[in-house]
Amino acid sequence: MGGGVRRIVLDESVLFGCEDPNGKDSLLPAAEYLLRKLRHSTIPTEISYRHDLSAQKASLLQGVAVQYSFDCFVLDESSTIDALNEIQLAWGDIGGSILYLVSDNNDDLLLKLRTHGWLLVILRSTGQESKDDVDGGPASEDSSMFYINKLEELPLTICRLNKKDISNDVVTVGYIMKPSREEDFSKRGAFPMYPSQNGLIFMPLTFALPISSQLQEVDVVLHKATDEIMSIKLNSSSELSNRITYTRGMLELGMYMEHHPDFCLIDPFNNIDPVVDRLKIQQILLGLEDINRPGCCRIRGPYFLKVDNFNELNLIQRLSEAKLSLPSIVKPQVACGVADAHSMAIVFRVEDYKDLSVPLPAVIQEYVDHSSTLFKFYVLGEKVFYAVKKSTPNAGTLKKLCEKNELKPLIFDSLKSLPTGKENQNVNDQSIDIKLVTDAASWLRRVLDLTIFGFDVVIQEGSGDHVIVDVNYLPSFKEVPDNMAIPAFWDAIKEKFESRKKKQAINSDQQFVDH
């Protein structure tokens, strides 16, 4: 692919705000947002500044450039045509356009840049907004000059220009997730603003702009809705989707989807509900029995029991009926999206269930002896990857470790470290039945109707049962090498979009026939 925006130059005038009370210049919050988005956009980015910039601001600018791995150079009205030629010569043949973002309309400089074929984007100052020239709109029909009202609009403008200049077949993917998760994906090159090898452009969605106007620019939305959960109530008999409260921005996204049911969302909120509810996912895993075959390894979920009160009188009887023995692991029913979703405990004595500090309602789950080996599986569309990791010790070892604490419940946060055992020294990939687990992955993909998800498998000592102990949506799959994971990630999104379009075309043809 050729054309499109292949290099970005940010004038320092768009980055700095007014001096703070201490008399120091500082980056605008929106500038920090923009720099984070551009850092891993796969489009090289530079920062330009005036030759007479103050020493203090120049020092701050250099620090910003180092932090975000950008280069700096002098560019202002005093720059000669020869200087511009030298700059472009140093960059070589970039195979597309240079986009220059500036906050003041310096006619002399901009005329020189337009002569060199640069695309110009002017950030309007407060009070200059025009209803005719917003959201990256051109100054005139044949112009190479564009206007934006907020820095957050620049990624949208870049993606729009790239799709227009390269091909309408390019698929624009709007994405939204918490900053730390986005950073994990972005630094691996997962979110390019220039088309990927299979024709995807990724555009960050932001709640700083109206969601509806941004969605008009994208073909697909990829989201981690669980990052935007405010609260979950489980004391209702209603469907889980009616008990989840999302942020205002995510609610706006949901409302847009309700009014545009043909829009491609990866994945619909209702499809994600089961992975938010540990009880629901345990009940779904019971269906794995359908893919087991006589004489082969068995795959299943762990034995489990839901409890609303750790002090109930018949708890021991209920544990026995659920085939649960000690030790057992106790987890909140809510699997993610709230602060205490990962607050868990391993219980060694039945009397210690009483007044246990794990949030209720909770799910008591079988603790499987698994040679301290965990197999993490990642499903990216039709492709399945896995990695082997160390895990918690077998029950006997774990019990010995906790004897010094009088076998009191081991309270822990599952997002943080737990003791790992040494039993897996002689365990290797040969111990797992890959075909069995791959079949289970296909079954889960079909039942959950999810595009990208992960699940953890342990192999029970003695029985050889493959036990799925956790399922999660849109994992980072960081254990899979980037050169394998990222193309598979892109393919999963593209295949979902094309499959959705194909189904819509079939439905449209059928409606035509019916009429």
Side-chain angles (χ1 to χ4, degrees), residues 148-199:
I148 60 175
N149 299 320
K150 292 183 176 182
L151 287 176
E152 292 92 344
E153 294 173 28
L154 185 65
L156 184 153
T157 303
I158 293 169
C159 293
R160 176 192 291 148
L161 288 170
N162 281 341
K163 182 163 186 172
K164 178 182 177 182
D165 292 348
I166 297 169
S167 170
N168 282 330
D169 292 332
V170 167
V171 176
T172 303
V173 181
Y175 65 91
I176 189 161
M177 57 191 65
K178 66 182 181 182
S180 61
R181 194 182 311 281
E182 179 184 351
E183 177 71 11
D184 287 341
F185 277 97
S186 295
K187 66 186 180 184
R188 302 174 69 187
F191 295 149
M193 290 186 191
Y194 189 80
S196 64
Q197 62 192 35
N198 67 340

Side-chain angles (χ1 to χ4, degrees), residues 487-504:
F489 173 67
W490 293 335
D491 287 343
I493 295 171
K494 185 74 174 284
E495 289 164 5
K496 181 72 172 185
F497 172 71
E498 291 179 340
S499 173
R500 185 67 180 266
K501 281 185 63 178
K502 192 173 183 179
K503 288 180 181 178
Q504 290 172 1

Side-chain angles (χ1 to χ4, degrees), residues 403-419:
E403 281 178 348
K404 58 184 177 183
N405 194 34
E406 300 178 345
L407 289 181
K408 292 180 181 178
L410 178 60
I411 309 295
F412 64 96
D413 184 325
S414 63
L415 293 180
K416 299 177 182 178
S417 61
L418 268 173

